Amino acid sequence: MSEEILKRVVGKIDSLKDYAVNLMLEIIRRPAVNPAFGGEGEYDRAMFLLDEIKQWGFSDIKIINVRDPRAKNGVRPNIIAYIKGETGDKLWILAHLDIVPPGDLSAWTVTKPFEPIIKEGKIYGRGSEDNGQAIVSSLVAAKALLEEDIKPRRTIAIALVSDEESGSDYGIGYLIKHHPELFNRNDIALVPDAGVSDGSFIEVAEKSILWSKLRFKGVQAHASMPHKGLNPHRIAAEFILLLDRLVKEKYGRIDPLFDPPMTTCEPTMVGNSSGSPNIIPGEHEVVFDCRILPEYNLDKFLEDLNRLFSTIKSVYEKKIGESLFPQLELEISMRADAAPPTPIDSPIVSSLVEALKTLRGLSPKIGGIGGGTVAAFFRRIGIPAAVWSTIDETAHSPNEYCVIENLIADAKIIAYLMVKT
Ligand SMILES: [Zn+2]
């Protein structure tokens, strides 16, 4: 890209600052609380944005409404705005329309959640950072290109989607499942929905998450007569220690992309049915939160948990009445299998690194996180996706805000990607 084009785009974005700020205020004034949390959904916000952008000169704007009787007008809208590029391979920029509820209103001390105000260079309101900043930055970058009549290298697809906060069944998950024709293997994607306050972290990978509840069943007895029962605490304690060893030995790979760089598996909650110091309870429950490096298979991991229990069982096994103890009930309360990581040499990552270096003088850290973003949807269908933005991480908190300077600076990075990648 010539220096001259870059200068023009950057200059244009600077001149659109007031526009960007106003757009953010208008977005916040149209709450789009996800119906999963009792809100009316994204309809009003989506229609407002559609109306806003339809005269800008996008090559095409697709609207894909997904039926949902809980939402206003029975639909969850998804908007895709295209700018035709030199090639048909796309650069996706994914921003989500929906928001979480405000939470405890008394904790909103700067302003009310849907009455945005500007204070000390920040715009306060629910949804300002999550994900208003991505909506505004990506649209302002597109506006700059369109007004300057600059053709992007790849075809740009800005996707303003529903339902990110509750599983994406009505959003990107729906589009990928029911409209596979929209995507192709040479596409790349940016998801500006997480980041750090100076923009120096690019997320390319995530660990799998497994929340499991293990209920160890022994046999209740008087604590002075342990031989008449079977103490499930002891079984659980052995299990916890053996699992620790298993994770270190069999799942022990170190991957410096992640912090911490290894699989972790922490017992977080325990419970039992003993109401008294002199009762050996019949059950002991342990909940584990495991964050597993993406190269390991969760089904195999679960098999290993069961095998571990069998090992312990063979030592303690006891027939009481007609049944054999101890027994194990394993319940999975949450499972998210990690998508394959985005290769760090893929063009979305290298261009982002280059953009941050050129425009901000930054050498970003490229890494993985402990779990789940919507980038996984792209990664699962083979589209490299990077998660990046410049934010103070106020999402889902009271007094959520976005920094106006970041709004503009991120638009410039996005524009750089549009022109260059
Ligand atoms: Zn978000």
Side-chain angles (χ1 to χ4, degrees), residues 96 130-131 164-165 193 396:
H96 64 89
D130 185 17
N131 199 217
E164 187 274 344
E165 299 289 0
D193 198 15
H396 299 214

Side-chain angles (χ1 to χ4, degrees), residues 223 272-281:
N272 72 78
S273 50
S274 178
S276 167
N278 60 3
I279 295 174
I280 293 169

Side-chain angles (χ1 to χ4, degrees), residues 139-335:
L139 289 179
V140 164
K143 194 172 171 54
L145 256 70
L146 291 166
E147 288 187 11
E148 289 293 313
D149 210 13
I150 294 166
K151 190 170 195 169
R153 244 174 64 81
R154 287 170 180 263
T155 292
I156 306 304
I158 298 178
L160 308 176
V161 296
S162 286
D163 201 32
E164 187 274 344
E165 299 289 0
S166 181
S168 292
D169 284 350
Y170 301 89
I172 186 65
Y174 182 93
L175 299 183
I176 283 176
K177 197 168 169 194
H178 298 280
H179 292 276
E181 76 282 358
L182 296 172
F183 305 91
N184 81 54
R185 285 202 135 265
N186 296 322
D187 293 353
I188 56 174
L190 176 74
V191 181
D193 198 15
V196 294
S197 57
D198 66 352
S200 65
F201 182 69
I202 301 171
E203 189 259 283
V204 293
E206 59 198 45
K207 293 178 183 174
S208 294
I209 310 176
L210 186 71
W211 290 353
S212 54
K213 184 189 276 180
L214 285 84
R215 198 171 296 119
F216 298 95
K217 295 196 162 187
V219 179
Q220 187 177 328
H222 194 287
S224 67
M225 295 287 179
H227 57 283
K228 291 193 170 173
L230 180 67
N231 194 332
H233 289 318
R234 190 167 285 109
I235 309 298
E238 286 234 17
F239 188 93
I240 291 172
L241 291 176
L242 285 179
L243 179 57
D244 232 19
R245 196 181 304 157
L246 176 85
V247 167
K248 284 198 185 81
E249 286 168 3
K250 193 169 175 187
Y251 295 86
R253 235 206 77 188
I254 298 293
D255 184 343
L257 263 189
F258 291 93
D259 176 24
M262 71 288 270
T263 294
T264 60
C265 208
E266 290 297 300
T268 51
M269 303 197 287
V270 295
N272 72 78
S273 50
S274 178
S276 167
N278 60 3
I279 295 174
I280 293 169
E283 282 182 20
H284 180 112
E285 212 173 80
V286 192
V287 174
F288 287 91
D289 177 335
C290 302
R291 309 289 168 128
I292 299 165
L293 287 179
E295 69 217 69
Y296 296 120
N297 178 293
L298 288 195
D299 290 323
K300 292 239 161 63
F301 183 77
L302 285 166
E303 277 170 27
D304 279 334
L305 292 189
N306 280 308
R307 201 168 300 136
L308 207 59
F309 177 71
S310 302
T311 312
I312 299 171
K313 190 175 172 181
S314 67
V315 176
Y316 288 94
E317 197 164 59
K318 202 165 175 181
K319 193 170 180 191
I320 294 177
E322 285 306 295
S323 308
L324 284 173
F325 292 92
Q327 297 166 1
L328 171 66
E329 277 174 23
L330 195 155
E331 187 186 316
I332 308 297
S333 60
M334 213 264 281
R335 170 178 177 164

